[in-house]
Amino acid sequence: MRRLVVLILAFATLGTPSVTAADGPAPSPPTDGGTDDGPQSAEPPVVSLSEFIESARHSYPGLKAAHHRVTAANARLSEARWSPYFQFTANAAFGVAPEQTGSPIFSRDSQLPVDNAWRPVVGMGIEGAIPLWTFGKLSALRDAAGAGVDAAKEGEDLSESKLILDVRRAYFGLELALDIQQMLDEGQGKLESAEARLAERLDDGDPEVNPSDTYRLATTLAEVRSRRAESEKFERAARDALTAMTGIERFEVPECPLAPVHYSLEEAPKYVSRAEQFRPELKMIKAGIKARQAQSDATNAQFLPDLALALSASYSYSPGITDQRNPFIYDRGNYQNLQAGLVAQWKLDFVGNLKRADRAGAELAETRAQAEEARTGIALEVKTTRSEAVEARDRMVAWASGHQKAREWFVSAAQGYQVGTVEPKELIDAVKAYFTARFRHLQAMFDFNIAVAKLERVTADELLRPESWELSCGE
């Protein structure tokens, strides 16, 4: 999107300033007359800016990815809450073993029991521990997972705010491109009429005609036609961007000329205060500090043991492995076992854990310093964006009267040329002046709208109601 704006604004730097919009409503842009399969049966629907934004919220893949990150973070939080209490392992086995008879004192078996008959063996067991007290390890784990959820939600809000800004930039860029085409069509028609009239005068042998005027008109017309092609390229780029972000493939925009949104700028400190309160990036860093703090707490808790309730149960059955009638024989194939008790597990890597604690503390301090840096950078970004809006507003006011005067000159010169009171050179000068003034005016309106949209994003606060962003054809 930034490339689109740069290309549009680059018109102002070209030799013959011929890119602006007309005063009246822009005509309908060229429609997609058909597809590879055949012509479209219906005209593309007119889509408003709010409808583009709503469609982008539901279809843009980047926003879907951010939503899935929130779902994954919630799953990690649920895992942190419940998984530590279900750390049990189960096993089951089926096999064969040689039969054993007799007792530890006397047995009829040979010294190689593999010569005995082989019998099936079936066994199963389960064991694990339920944590009772971990000195803060589990609570730190839950705090870190909760911070991950907070960060993911703020990341989703950040992605949405950037998407809305890009949609608005593409929408206003499309309006600008269409206004440029309307203005170029108007100027091109006047110049073509002037060229035809000049050719007639030359054919009639008018001695007052300056042959150099023919080259001036031809050159200016070539410039206008090339700018028309460039404006069509900008229109396609804006349409492609809107389609990519919203999923809407066939559409038209309301036939309204580009106009500034109605918004009165406030003082910079108010915007900075809002940004410090609402910016998703700052909330994400706050969640990061919470996660770092939890990591530090968990590392410090490693110096203390974990207390848990250990449980174990096992069972094995094998018919005929041993002499079941002898109570003094430990039957390895047939037994039942059930145990429960309090256990403590203590990691004695105190030196290593001391260094890990130092690292966790340093990372926590680093994140806090990054938060301060972010607040400073965000305050600067807000002030810079407000300055852009102020500058665009002042340019818009300055060029409003200049554009009006230039249009009067342009219309007067065109009419004068038709009746023979104005020379082609003066007509060309009027066209250039009108194109320059009108484009500068439109450029300022476009810049102001985008600056206000950026200001809304960098403050993370709704500065205008959604309907206030729509262009009004009655103004």
Side-chain angles (χ1 to χ4, degrees):
M1 288 312 305
R2 291 190 179 91
R3 177 173 175 80
L4 168 63
V5 177
V6 170
L7 290 174
I8 292 176
L9 300 186
F11 280 178
T13 64
L14 296 178
T16 303
S18 57
V19 284
T20 57
D23 295 324
S28 298
T31 60
D32 184 5
T35 63
D36 294 339
D37 299 328
Q40 296 288 345
S41 59
E43 292 295 325
V46 176
V47 183
S48 65
L49 176 57
S50 59
E51 290 172 329
F52 278 122
I53 292 175
E54 189 63 24
S55 179
R57 285 192 174 108
H58 290 89
S59 63
Y60 189 60
L63 204 54
K64 291 181 180 179
H67 177 72
H68 291 316
R69 283 194 292 270
V70 175
T71 303
N74 278 308
R76 284 193 294 269
L77 178 58
S78 298
E79 178 187 0
R81 287 173 175 170
W82 298 105
S83 181
Y85 300 98
F86 292 89
Q87 297 300 306
F88 286 82
T89 58
N91 58 78
F94 174 81
V96 293
E99 182 181 43
Q100 299 182 36
T101 60
S103 69
I105 298 176
F106 174 77
S107 174
R108 296 187 299 272
D109 297 335
S110 67
Q111 293 183 351
L112 295 176
V114 294
D115 295 336
N116 297 345
W118 288 69
R119 305 290 184 178
V121 182
V122 177
M124 63 188 67
I126 184 172
E127 61 180 1
I130 300 175
L132 301 177
W133 191 259
T134 62
F135 295 94
K137 299 182 185 69
L138 291 183
S139 60
L141 178 64
R142 291 190 292 268
D143 289 344
V149 173
D150 295 340
K153 289 180 178 178
E154 296 302 329
E156 185 178 20
D157 291 342
L158 177 61
S159 298
E160 182 177 350
S161 66
K162 290 181 177 179
L163 176 62
I164 292 175
L165 174 60
D166 288 340
V167 171
R168 287 171 177 167
R169 197 194 309 270
Y171 181 86
F172 290 130
L174 178 57
E175 287 284 348
L176 178 59
L178 295 177
D179 279 5
I180 287 171
Q181 292 176 25
Q182 198 277 343
M183 191 279 303
L184 289 174
D185 290 342
E186 181 184 13
Q188 182 176 339
K190 300 294 186 183
L191 291 174
E192 288 176 346
S193 298
E195 186 180 42
R197 179 174 174 77
L198 184 62
E200 292 177 359
R201 294 174 63 186
L202 285 173
D203 292 339
D204 294 340
D206 189 344
E208 296 182 359
V209 174
N210 184 356
S212 298
D213 290 339
T214 304
Y215 302 113
R216 291 192 183 96
L217 283 172
T219 304
T220 304
L221 267 172
E223 183 73 17
V224 170
R225 289 164 180 158
S226 68
R227 302 299 173 80
R228 185 63 162 80
E230 291 174 346
S231 68
E232 291 175 352
K233 179 182 69 173
F234 302 148
E235 178 195 354
R236 289 192 296 270
R239 289 181 177 275
D240 291 343
L242 286 171
T243 297
M245 291 183 288
T246 66
I248 302 175
E249 295 185 358
R250 300 181 66 249
F251 61 86
E252 294 298 341
V253 294
E255 296 183 5
C256 301
L258 184 63
V261 295
H262 293 288
Y263 179 72
S264 298
L265 294 171
E266 301 180 43
E267 295 299 322
K270 293 184 179 180
Y271 294 120
V272 173
S273 177
R274 292 175 185 174
E276 291 176 347
Q277 183 179 0
F278 300 121
R279 273 293 284 265
E281 294 93 331
L282 292 179
K283 293 181 179 180
M284 292 173 69
I285 292 179
K286 184 178 180 180
I289 293 175
K290 181 180 178 181
R292 292 290 195 187
Q293 183 65 63
Q295 179 185 7
S296 179
D297 294 342
T299 304
N300 291 328
Q302 292 294 334
F303 290 106
L304 300 173
D306 294 336
L307 302 180
L309 175 63
L311 302 172
S312 175
S314 58
Y315 173 79
S316 178
Y317 173 71
S318 177
I321 290 294
T322 61
D323 189 348
Q324 298 286 334
R325 296 170 296 177
N326 192 329
F328 300 103
I329 295 179
Y330 173 69
D331 192 346
R332 297 181 178 179
N334 297 274
Y335 63 86
Q336 300 85 33
N337 179 46
L338 181 63
Q339 297 181 13
L342 293 175
V343 298
Q345 185 178 17
W346 202 347
K347 293 182 179 180
L348 301 181
D349 183 17
F350 295 134
V351 175
N353 197 63
L354 180 62
K355 301 304 179 183
R356 286 189 288 270
D358 292 341
R359 183 184 65 192
E363 290 174 345
L364 175 59
E366 175 193 11
T367 306
R368 286 173 174 164
Q370 289 174 341
E372 291 296 326
E373 180 185 21
R375 277 189 284 270
T376 301
I378 285 175
L380 178 60
E381 182 183 21
V382 170
K383 292 176 182 178
T384 301
T385 303
R386 182 189 176 277
S387 296
E388 292 175 358
V390 170
E391 186 265 346
R393 180 196 62 190
D394 294 344
R395 277 194 290 116
M396 186 171 57
V397 173
W399 279 108
S401 60
H403 151 244
Q404 184 62 35
K405 296 300 182 182
R407 178 169 177 77
E408 294 175 2
W409 182 18
F410 167 63
V411 174
S412 174
Q415 293 174 348
Y417 185 79
Q418 291 297 323
V419 298
T421 60
V422 172
E423 295 298 324
K425 184 178 184 302
E426 183 176 348
L427 175 62
I428 293 172
D429 291 341
V431 169
K432 291 181 178 180
Y434 170 60
F435 281 10
T436 299
R438 180 60 180 159
F439 173 74
R440 298 295 189 185
H441 189 202
L442 266 182
Q443 175 184 326
M445 289 190 288
F446 175 84
D447 291 344
F448 180 75
N449 288 353
I450 299 305
V452 174
K454 288 174 60 178
L455 197 58
E456 187 169 282
R457 194 201 74 78
V458 298
T459 59
D461 191 18
E462 188 179 85
L463 303 181
L464 289 170
R465 296 190 304 272
E467 60 271 16
S468 299
W469 287 97
E470 303 292 346
L471 299 176
S472 176
C473 296
E475 298 179 1

